[in-house]
Amino acid sequence: MAAIEFVNVTQAFEKNVIIKDLNLKIEDGKFTVLVGPSGCGKTTLLRMIAGLDRQTAGSVLIGGEDVTDIAPGQRGVAMVFQNYALYPTMTVRENIEFGLKNNKVSKEERNRLVESISETVGLSPYLNRKPSALSGGQRQRVALARAMVKKPSVFLMDEPLSNLDAKLRAQMRIELIELHKKLGTTFVYVTHDQVEAMSMADTIVLMNQGRIQQEAAPEDIYRQPNNLFAAQFIGVPPMNVGDLGMDGVKFGFRPEGAVLTAERTDSHFGVRGRIVTREMLGSETIYQVKTKQHAFMIKCTEDQFTVDQEVFLGVDASKIFFFRQDEHRIAQDDVRHAAYMAALRGQQHE
Amino acid sequence: MNNTRVWQKLRPYALVLPAMIGILLFVVYPILYLVKLSMFKYNLLNKDKSKFIGADNYTEIFSRGDFYNALLTTVLYTVGVVVITMALSLFIALWLNQNTRFNALVQAGIFTPHIISIVSIALVWMWLMEPNYGLLNFALKAVGLPALPWLQSSSTSLLSIIIVSVWQNVGYYSLLIVAALKNIPQTIYEAAALDNASKFKVFYKITLPMISPQLFFILVIMTIGSFKVFDTVKIMTGGGPNGSTTTLVYYIYEFRTTSIGYASATGVVLMAIITVLTFIYFRLLSNKVHYQ
Ligand SMILES: Nc1ncnc2c1ncn2[C@@H]1O[C@H](COP(=O)(O)OP(=O)(O)OP(=O)(O)O)[C@@H](O)[C@H]1O
Ligand SMILES: [Mg+2]
């Protein structure tokens, strides 16, 4: 049982307040991904859970218990560091069993655990090597094994895949998801890569400048972003946004939510534009379309247009979002929603 | 065509030639000359009366008690200086490694002895160690301990010299170790904290292995340096009292006018001892040293 809870937590380094009055509940047994731009405080949050940095104010609870005064080694927490932080002077085996030794696990038990873990992560042939003689992917596995072997109730991972090449990263992503299924413990995973966040998370916690922007399942964050930041952070390319020209409201639609046609069609929002760039990515093509007032990125599954071609861009009513001046999304059942919809329709221009 | 080929072959040799000339002239030639001298009964006044006596000087060395005395003194001095300096500088470095403003000041201060001439240091310490009105005995008496004769007695003279050498060296080596400590990534310590490692375990299993290359370097350098100690002895005791601080180099120095051949032979023996010692160090310890 290890749900994690932040209660009015503030973290400041000297005079710089990084996180202010943060409240967050991380559910037991879930794969939670902390995501946000660089410097938003993800690592800071993780280090407070691990007990490596003490919060300036507020309390951190693990399994309902305030752990503020509990040493990192006593919290039942294991962490995979961004740079792995393996012990360079120890062999892979020694790296993995260091924590066990400190916890006074008997020698037979230790050997059994090390053997089975290294089997799981495919490290058996390398047990007697030093980390310096391993590849990046192998080091990463050592870091994982070192964390796993302690059977922690909370697994913290700080961008563990960021040093790997794209292919290995995709493979490790799947392995981590399977690992989580197998262990069933709480995973807190930090990344600034939103693809990683979308593909692995049960719950995404989206942060910006020390504040939580949205906390929801990946599909909810994608379909119902709380605000402009969430809308533009999740999804590649980011959501297209334009000024509605009314109450300072902005409208938006996803690159995959629009349709490009050579002929004019009837859709809720339709404009004429010209293709300025074309990126052919294989299964899909991304066009940049310039209209009179805006430039939109459009994702199409078919590659039908060429640069400089005149096209018509159409978006369905169901694919359109509105954001208030304070950047919060305007819900569908908001009284003004219909009025904004009408205004957007009236904006159709040649 | 052929000319360029030849030049290409020769170029590396041509490039190292200046350095080689220097080494031949100032290192190899003196060593060979030393070995040659060691086999002569050398006459300083009339070179032509010098006599080749083969290994006689060496037989004499190993049959004389004062050589063994000097050797023992040197070994004691070396062990004392190396052990105390290493332990102290490691201790000081660990303390300095905690970043406080005060420590920055101490760091600058502790290095100062290293830039002062050993002559000045030795003179100041002689004054401090003066048995009747020196500061050290004054301090000892103040805390109720018996005064020591320091340099004036053969039982404490070597200790006094060791203290001065340690005092001069400890700052420099502390800084070397501090630099090594600062190079250890902080995340390793954080990982150890999460692995529930005790303070002692962290020091023994992480800190020490991580700075082992520097410690090994210091060990070798300091052993060699201590075996060749001369200036401190020359200034503070002149080898006395009663030969109690006559180290090997000072022993050699004492024969500089009376028997150059014998002095040279002792020099060769000293060189051999240091070589063997260094070799042993590498053999015994190099697999315990962790290189990145
Ligand atoms: N020890 C520290 N002292 C002072 N400022 C710090 C310290 N650690 C972090 N910060 C600041 O706190 C902010 C958040 O840092 P943090 O490491 O949590 O970012 P992050 O979200 O993990 O970013 P990234 O994705 O780049 O790793 C940054 O502005 C950083 O400069
Ligand atoms: Mg970070």
Side-chain angles (χ1 to χ4, degrees), chain A residues 47 52 73-74 79 81 83 85 87-89 98-99 102-103 146 150, chain B residues 187-188 190-197 201 205-206 209-210 290 292:
Chain A
R47 291 172 62 87
L52 298 174
Q74 313 277 344
M79 182 156 166
F81 290 82
N83 59 2
Y87 310 120
T89 55
F98 189 58
N102 294 329
N103 289 333
R146 184 174 69 178
K150 290 187 286 183
Chain B
T187 44
I188 295 185
E190 290 172 349
L194 280 165
D195 269 345
N196 204 15
K201 204 91 184 257
K205 295 294 276 187
I206 295 174
M210 289 298 280
H290 168 82
Q292 294 282 8

Side-chain angles (χ1 to χ4, degrees), chain A residues 42-43 82 158-159 190:
Chain A
K42 306 180 295 287
T43 300
Q82 178 162 3
D158 193 355
E159 309 195 26
V190 164

Side-chain angles (χ1 to χ4, degrees), chain A residues 11-14 16-19 35-47 53 82 158-159 190-193 207 210:
Chain A
Q11 180 68 299
F13 295 108
E14 271 116 52
N16 294 334
V17 180
I18 307 299
I19 288 172
V35 64
S38 193
C40 71
K42 306 180 295 287
T43 300
T44 308
L45 213 61
L46 214 60
R47 291 172 62 87
D53 288 327
Q82 178 162 3
D158 193 355
E159 309 195 26
V190 164
T191 178
H192 55 234
D193 176 354
M207 294 181 59

Side-chain angles (χ1 to χ4, degrees), chain B residues 58-72:
Chain B
Y58 292 95
T59 6
E60 192 187 341
I61 290 175
F62 292 111
S63 57
R64 274 177 75 153
D66 56 358
F67 168 76
Y68 289 106
N69 257 339
L71 183 60
L72 180 68

